Amino acid sequence: VVSGPGGFFVCENIKEDNLSRGRKRERRLEAVNVHIPDSECLRFPQDSLDELEMDDYWKEIENIESSGEGHGRAGGEGETQEEEQQKAPEEGEHEEAWLTEAGLVRLVDDSLAAEDHEEDSAVFLSTLTRTQAAAVQLRVSSYQQTLLRRRNRQHLPDVRDIFRPPEKNEEPPKLEEGSDKDATTAETEMELNVEVAFSEQALSYRDNNQRLKVNNSSLNSSDDKLPNFKLLRDKTGQTRVGDLSPLDMKKVRRLVLVEMTALFDTAGIDVKANKPGRVKSKESGLFGVPLITLLDQDHRRVPGTKVPLILQMLIRHVEEEGLDTEGLLRIPGAATRVKSLCQELESSFYDRTFQWKQVKQHDAASLLKLFIRELPHPLLTVEYLNAFIAVNKLPTKKQQLQALNLLVLLLPEANRDTLKALVEFFQRVINHQAKNKMTLNNVSVVMAPNIFMFKGFRSKVTEQQEFSMATNTANIVRLLIRYQNLLWTIPKFILTQVRQQNMESQRKLYKDRAVRKLLKKITTDRPLDKAIPEENTQGFIRVQAPQFSKISMAIQLTEDLQASDVLTRFLSQDSSVSVKKEDLCLYEIGGNIKERCLDEETYMKDLSQLNPAAEWVIKAVQR
């Protein structure tokens, strides 16, 4: 995949004989060693991206090309994927799509407002940081100018009316004390500040480094020299993907889109989403089936499935046969055998008659890679593929990691869960590198073309562009694997903005006199939707577990009380509960959040002070 001004382009798979492919690989290596200066190359090896590692990348490309996938589906002869050429976007189309996705298109044209964007735009805008607001303002202004030219009418709201300038006694939001250090420290900085917006930190970094240029040498880190980033511990608990209710996740996604755009804006990187073309894909089966369709099939057999069953089985088979196989993922299985196994799986997988014992390690790994490549749309989505590649342009590893965190949160749930299962598997392969000889770099180089190359759009590219594609995409895969424990978390500043939106929405609701009059019959006027429980004001919380019993526990809040202590006390008091502690979660419900599963290390007194109107409920975790 090569990023360009008109979007992205994907290498066209071309059949070649073995001799011509070998010569092509030699020319590619020559380009690495001779034609591309070190200052222009993105390299990230043990010492550098050496010829052997690059050769593995080109061999993987050749394995894909030689399999004949460019001329037919692996699942059967004659099945082809119908493609539609990507049309050049019309003026303002990118801005309109962005505003629509952020739920803000009504700011410029009420006729385009989607019915499901019921969230008040004023509430949303009131919680944005200065960099986030600037990102929105830029796109609103650009789209307004487009509409004026397109419709030749003057009845559009002025962008200055949407973003009220600060009053005299107001000051623009500032970074918290100590955050300047977080934004400007060297690449060896260990801690990630998630309380201050990433774009605000990047702005501070940029302002303190006016002469900073994108330094590609920042990628020259070996496996063991990549910074060992860790999150600053938050007493109110870490929030991972899946911990929030769908309503709050909807708010998270809108905020993340704006924040991601603002982060790239601070670095002067213009990232525009691409529209997926219409692709005629299979409506059933295993390979070449859209993720959503595949999961719908699986749900009918195993309710609650989040990762396709076929992918789970392929991973399980590889691990059961042992992860010590040398060259795992790198050495391909026999093409004819892989094709035959693919056809057998299509016909007998769901019948449970497929003979897994016949599948060799390298064949199973090849089937796994085939499954990823055969997805009608890329796993990282057409919309955000450009943004994933553009991460390499950000000036520091910290900003690259922050951008990837936001992009992972933007992925559709099915794509995000599948990607997570893959990178966890890749890490387990790397853990056995002493025997299988697959380091972080090796796995990244081999898997990059499988994750980033797809059949939606095709265009021939130069060999120099191919090299750029190799280094860019392999580096992204490397970061996804290396920092996976951080990427599937929701930054605290995003969650804080969600809480602010919820509180602001409640305040606006209670300003309505009719509602206030109705509520007056129930209780006295209050800023939150529920009165603060009396126990909270006396240093206690009341914990309920209606799913298991009618027990209601009053627990005294202490400085050291954590969510795990609450679960332990519940299990000790109710012997009838046979569920394991790890299958339970203490939930924060109501107040300024809809519903949140708490990290076991959450300090309850701190969280109770942050959300005094919340209820505390123990429920079984849905995995």
Side-chain angles (χ1 to χ4, degrees), residues 181 184-190 229 398:
K181 173 181 178 295
T184 59
T185 47
E187 285 295 318
T188 55
E189 177 62 44
M190 303 282 285
F229 289 116
K398 179 179 287 187

Side-chain angles (χ1 to χ4, degrees), residues 368-375 379 422 447 450-451:
L368 183 148
K369 292 189 290 186
L370 178 65
F371 170 81
I372 301 169
R373 292 196 306 272
E374 288 288 284
L375 291 173
L379 185 59
L422 280 173
M447 292 308 304
N450 293 282
I451 292 175

Side-chain angles (χ1 to χ4, degrees), residues 9-40:
F9 303 92
V10 182
C11 299
E12 182 173 11
N13 296 340
I14 304 171
K15 275 194 172 182
E16 299 173 299
D17 56 41
N18 292 333
L19 180 59
S20 62
R21 287 197 301 270
R23 287 174 178 169
K24 190 173 183 180
R25 184 167 71 247
E26 290 174 5
R27 292 197 300 272
R28 286 162 171 164
L29 293 177
E30 288 173 3
V32 175
N33 296 325
V34 179
H35 300 298
I36 302 179
D38 286 348
S39 62
E40 297 178 6

